[in-house]
């Protein structure tokens, strides 16, 4: 069973703050890593799929980096807004390339 | 393009009963995966179907089963329900294929309560 750790578990920030979270995973046999955003009462939505060491991806104010050699990925949110409040999940693949989800980081942005 | 549709959205069952949940994937997607989420847990992988065949299976007891039809629609069944089966069950579709790095498209889930 793949051990995926996300930190912190929860985070409260003020509107306008920048923040970042970490996803740690075993670095051996890396294949791809997914980041998802899950807003309350909605479905999880993919943010990024990252496959290469050193990958950096950006979508608006959100960006992510990937280090497969050391087994971690960072997700950054610049200038957090209340609509960024959600749980952010990372999912590196486990056996047979099935995305194995961490428990997520719950972000609450206070106006 | 219609999204992933799951039915029913909410249901209440009693211990010992069985339940069937349905998932219609995005048109053209051949892979359907099922996940369970319980309070305090991440999304736990149940199984994945691709072209009517179970391609991968998670670490759940045999009471949990599934199938996929020729139109890629999938059902999962839980027999002899236990209180611990109360959870949100999410279905996700993707284009699938051998190099399955494609993003997952999730439905809104079926929330099962077992009394």
């Amino acid at each position: 069973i793949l051990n995926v750790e996300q930190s912190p578990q929860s985070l409260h920030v003020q509107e306008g703050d920048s923040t970042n979270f970490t996803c740690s995973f075993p670095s051996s046999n890396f294949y791809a890593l997914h980041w998802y955003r899950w807003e309350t009462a909605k479905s999880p939505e993919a943010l990024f799929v990252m496959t290469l060491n050193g990958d950096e991806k950006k979508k608006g104010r959100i960006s992510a980096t990937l280090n497969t050699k050391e087994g971690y990925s960072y997700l950054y949110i610049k200038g957090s807004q209340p609509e960024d409040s959600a749980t952010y999940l990372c999912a590196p693949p486990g056996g047979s390339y099935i995305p194995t989800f961490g428990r997520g980081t719950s972000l609450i942005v206070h106006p | 393009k219609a999204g992933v549709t799951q039915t029913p959205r909410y249901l209440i069952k009693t211990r010992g009963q069985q339940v069937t949940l349905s998932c219609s994937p995005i048109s053209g997607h051949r892979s359907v995966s099922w996940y369970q989420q319980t309070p305090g847990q991440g999304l736990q992988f149940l199984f994945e179907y691709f072209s009517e065949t179970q391609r991968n299976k998670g670490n759940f007891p045999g009471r949990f089963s599934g199938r996929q039809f020729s139109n890629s629609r999938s059902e999962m069944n839980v027999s002899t329900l236990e209180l611990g089966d109360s959870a949100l069950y999410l279905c996700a579709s993707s284009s699938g294929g051998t190099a399955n790095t494609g993003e997952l498209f999730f439905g809104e889930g079926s929330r099962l309560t077992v009394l």
Side-chain angles (χ1 to χ4, degrees):
Chain A
I1 297 176
L2 193 69
N3 187 26
V4 180
E5 296 289 337
Q6 287 192 251
S7 61
Q9 282 192 345
S10 65
L11 197 54
H12 290 250
V13 301
Q14 291 297 127
E15 183 176 354
D17 289 349
S18 292
T19 186
N20 64 84
F21 335 125
T22 305
C23 172
S24 301
F25 53 89
S27 58
S28 60
N29 299 319
F30 178 82
Y31 192 60
L33 182 137
H34 302 198
W35 278 101
Y36 289 83
R37 174 169 60 196
W38 193 357
E39 296 178 65
T40 303
K42 294 186 178 180
S43 315
E45 288 187 340
L47 285 171
F48 307 112
V49 177
M50 310 177 78
T51 56
L52 298 175
N53 184 42
D55 248 357
E56 288 189 32
K57 298 213 171 179
K58 187 174 181 181
K59 185 181 289 188
R61 295 177 291 98
I62 304 177
S63 60
T65 61
L66 177 66
N67 184 323
T68 61
K69 292 183 179 179
E70 295 184 32
Y72 65 82
S73 177
Y74 292 142
L75 189 79
Y76 301 90
I77 302 179
K78 183 178 178 181
S80 302
Q81 299 296 309
E83 58 264 31
D84 295 327
S85 297
T87 296
Y88 291 83
L89 300 167
C90 77
S96 302
Y97 313 122
I98 295 298
T100 303
F101 286 86
R103 295 188 181 185
T105 293
S106 173
L107 173 67
I108 296 175
V109 182
H110 299 279
Chain B
K1 195 174 189 182
V4 177
T5 303
Q6 290 188 246
T7 57
R9 293 288 314 281
Y10 303 92
L11 65 167
I12 300 173
K13 294 285 187 178
T14 56
R15 279 180 298 175
Q17 287 187 309
Q18 73 164 15
V19 66
T20 299
L21 309 178
S22 179
C23 173
S24 294
I26 289 173
S27 178
H29 282 186
R30 296 164 66 189
S31 169
V32 174
S33 302
W34 289 89
Y35 289 84
Q36 180 199 63
Q37 196 215 23
T38 51
Q41 296 291 321
L43 293 175
Q44 303 291 312
F45 172 72
L46 282 154
F47 26 67
E48 183 215 6
Y49 287 86
F50 181 81
S51 294
E52 301 180 65
T53 300
Q54 187 181 83
R55 187 161 66 171
N56 292 289
K57 188 177 189 302
N59 191 27
F60 277 80
R63 299 185 297 106
F64 291 81
S65 62
R67 58 179 176 169
Q68 186 179 34
F69 301 95
S70 58
N71 62 357
S72 292
R73 188 177 71 87
S74 176
E75 289 181 347
M76 68 162 281
N77 183 275
V78 188
S79 62
T80 319
L81 284 166
E82 300 175 1
L83 295 178
D85 297 332
S86 296
L88 178 68
Y89 291 88
L90 285 169
C91 161
S93 77
S94 71
S95 55
T98 305
N100 193 15
T101 59
E103 66 184 84
L104 299 177
F105 294 82
F106 285 89
E108 291 184 303
S110 293
R111 183 164 296 279
L112 170 65
T113 301
V114 182
L115 302 176

